[in-house]
Structures are given as C-alpha cells and as structure tokens.
Amino acid sequence: MYKWNEMVQKTIDLIEEHIEEDLSLANLAEKIGYSPWYLSVKFREIVGMTLRSYIAGRRLARAADEVRNTDDRLLDIALKYSWSSQESMTKAFTATLGCTPAEYRKNPCLIPLPILKVVYFPEHYRMLHKGGYEMSNNQMFPMIRSEFIPAHKYIGIWDGRSTGYGDFFINHDCDYVCGMINSLAEKSHPVITSHTAGWYFEDGKRLYFYGSGVETSYNGEIPEGFEVKNVPESLYLVFYHPPFDYLKDNDKVVGSVEQMAWSFDIDSYKSGKYKWNDACPCYQRHYPEGLGYQVLRPIIEK
C-alpha cells in the first residue's frame, strides 16, 4: 500500500511543478505510468479529495498569492492558472474564499488557502525500501551554536494536549491551521517565519504550539482558534543538524537533535554563566533539504 503513497506524492509534486500547464487526468497518468482509473481512485483514497478538486485548490492558492502580492492584471493571473476568463476566476474565488479577487487584493483578509499536501513520509519509505534507521553517507552529528532573536509576536495555537507535531495534527485540522498560516506568510517575521513551531512549559510539562512569528508592530487579524503572544528578545542555544535526506534520515536526525537539546546541562555552557529563560518559548525549525533540523532553547544570564 505504501507504494501508492509514493506514487501519489510524485503526482502531487508534478502538479506543483507544472501547475500552469495541462494537468488532465490522462496527462498525469501517462507521466506517472499508471492507468487514469487507478490514479484517480488512489489519489482520492490517500489525499481525501478528487484529483480535479486538488488541482483547482492549488491553482486557487497560487492565484490568490499573486493577486495579493503582485500588481499583475487579474485577467493575466486568471489565464495563467487555466481559467478561461477573469469572470471564471472570480466565481472560483467567491465560491471558495468568500470574496472576489479585486476585494482580496484591496483587503487581503486571512483565509485558509488550499495547502500543498504531503502523503509520503519516512515510515513509508522504510517499509518500501527496507532501509531501517541507517543514516545516509556523510551525515553529521548534532551541533550547537547560539543565536539572538529579537522581540516579536507569535500567532499560533498553544495546545495543552500535544507534545509534538504528530499529536498536534491529530487534535487539529491540518488544512485549516496551515491554510491560515499560509495566509499570514507575507506578514511573517524574518527570523521566526511561517510554520516555525515549538514548545512551552506548563506545570512541568513540555507542550507544543504551531503558528507563525510576526513583527511586534502587527495589529491585524488573528485567525479563529489562534492566540497572539508577545515574545521578548532573548539569546538562544540552537541544537541543530545540517540539511539531510528527509525520507531516509528524518527520524534519526530529529531524535538525535532533540535528545541533545532536552538533556543538555546548561551549567556546562560558558562556565555556568547562563540559565534557561522561562519567559520565552522554545522553537523548532524543520526544513530538511534547505536548513536541516533545529531546536532552539532560550537562555539568560544568571
């Protein structure tokens, strides 16, 4: 069954790469090497929507981004993303987002934009390729450095039930949460960017949150179910691993970095000059192929 996850993920990647081109079922099936019927059935089974609906949603999200962030003519954006006219794009915007493109450009309100799906994960890869937990060649051990993060605001869901990414999205609708965060992307903080998640401590428990940092000057909308908090400036210890192969090495990298981060003896750092800064949250950056994996813990001088 995991072979189908791999096949559907390849289809999703093809859609994103060729979103402005002909993406008919027959065309995609030919590229993937399966019959249109199998592709259609398995895509709906794994993604939870039809292939046609998914493509329409991703085109709408890409078009909305350009409506919001460019001065391109609405007609040109409509034609670029395969609508036959500006009126057709307007109907799609109104039906899905509740506003016209012109209204959205004038007032880019927060709406849950259709997200890029991921359906093929390291556990699927291991089952298919029997790769176990062996690291790829030329991998490095976790390292540590310091980083100063200025004061900012954080808009997110502070979940008292979850301790990590997996159980967070068992408790929350991924499409809604990530779609709202994507709507905030242009307002995101340059350091604590969109989808920078993390942990906070409550009654001795380490709990998870998910959202986006924004500048201290932000006074815009807060999505339903989200909360905004002021985060003071702080020095952080960054426990990190450089870029790696997500499918092959994610579990090992994440495990090794987190083990180092949560077991680190702060008294051993800089001759015991620092302690953990409880006024700030811990952050998580997970961008395997670009940044790698990082856990950031705030510190302050004693």
Side-chain angles (χ1 to χ4, degrees):
M1 63 178 290
Y2 300 123
K3 186 175 182 180
W4 284 111
N5 286 76
E6 183 180 27
M7 181 274 291
V8 169
Q9 190 64 60
K10 287 179 179 178
T11 305
I12 289 170
D13 295 342
L14 271 174
I15 290 169
E16 206 66 19
E17 184 179 354
H18 302 283
I19 194 71
E20 300 169 25
E21 303 172 18
D22 174 24
L23 291 175
S24 66
L25 175 59
N27 181 270
L28 285 169
E30 182 179 1
K31 290 178 181 292
I32 293 297
Y34 285 89
S35 74
W37 184 84
Y38 267 116
L39 177 59
S40 176
V41 169
K42 291 299 182 180
F43 191 95
R44 183 167 189 167
E45 177 183 307
I46 291 171
V47 179
M49 66 179 69
T50 65
L51 184 61
R52 182 177 180 180
S53 294
Y54 179 77
I55 292 171
R58 287 304 298 155
R59 282 177 167 158
L60 187 67
R62 295 278 287 268
D65 183 68
E66 294 192 22
V67 168
R68 180 180 61 191
N69 297 319
T70 75
D71 294 323
D72 293 352
R73 293 193 313 162
L74 296 181
L75 175 59
D76 292 337
I77 296 174
L79 297 178
K80 179 178 181 180
Y81 290 106
S82 300
W83 282 287
S84 59
S85 64
Q86 183 176 327
E87 289 73 21
S88 296
M89 182 174 73
T90 297
K91 288 180 181 179
F93 261 71
T94 303
T96 305
L97 306 181
C99 61
T100 68
E103 291 169 341
Y104 185 61
R105 173 167 278 176
K106 184 177 180 180
N107 179 31
C109 54
L110 297 182
I111 47 180
L113 298 175
I115 65 172
L116 173 65
K117 295 285 190 177
V118 177
V119 299
Y120 187 53
F121 297 100
E123 57 268 29
H124 301 144
Y125 179 89
R126 288 196 304 275
M127 291 299 293
L128 279 173
H129 300 279
K130 309 300 181 183
Y133 286 88
E134 293 299 321
M135 296 285 282
S136 299
N137 293 332
N138 302 317
Q139 293 295 322
M140 302 173 65
F141 292 105
M143 296 174 283
I144 183 172
R145 61 176 173 80
S146 63
E147 177 181 335
F148 176 78
I149 296 179
H152 56 280
K153 291 180 179 178
Y154 190 92
I155 300 173
I157 298 175
W158 307 74
D159 189 349
R161 300 168 292 174
S162 305
T163 59
Y165 179 91
D167 53 340
F168 180 90
F169 281 111
I170 290 174
N171 295 324
H172 299 279
D173 181 343
C174 180
D175 287 349
Y176 173 76
V177 173
C178 294
M180 280 300 188
I181 294 171
N182 288 346
S183 284
L184 278 166
E186 67 166 3
K187 302 292 185 180
S188 67
H189 192 270
V191 178
I192 305 302
T193 60
S194 294
H195 302 283
T196 299
W199 298 266
Y200 66 103
F201 290 89
E202 187 174 274
D203 298 328
K205 295 177 63 178
R206 188 170 71 237
L207 302 170
Y208 199 71
F209 61 86
Y210 198 93
S212 175
V214 293
E215 298 282 6
T216 55
S217 59
Y218 182 83
N219 60 0
E221 291 182 80
I222 308 300
E224 184 178 352
F226 286 65
E227 180 183 357
V228 62
K229 294 189 178 185
N230 291 302
V231 181
E233 66 179 31
S234 184
L235 186 65
Y236 280 74
L237 287 186
V238 183
F239 304 89
Y240 70 99
H241 192 290
F244 59 93
D245 187 314
Y246 170 68
L247 290 176
K248 295 180 181 179
D249 302 324
N250 187 72
D251 293 321
K252 192 72 172 181
V253 168
V254 169
S256 61
V257 170
E258 292 189 5
Q259 194 281 328
M260 184 182 191
W262 302 125
S263 65
F264 186 76
D265 180 8
I266 189 62
D267 289 328
S268 68
Y269 182 71
K270 301 288 186 180
S271 303
K273 181 181 178 180
Y274 292 91
K275 62 180 181 178
W276 301 120
N277 183 2
D278 296 332
C280 296
C282 304
Y283 284 118
Q284 175 192 50
R285 294 170 175 156
H286 187 218
Y287 306 102
E289 287 77 17
L291 184 69
Y293 184 63
Q294 301 179 359
V295 172
L296 296 81
R297 297 191 65 182
I299 59 174
I300 191 171
E301 288 193 29
K302 291 180 178 178

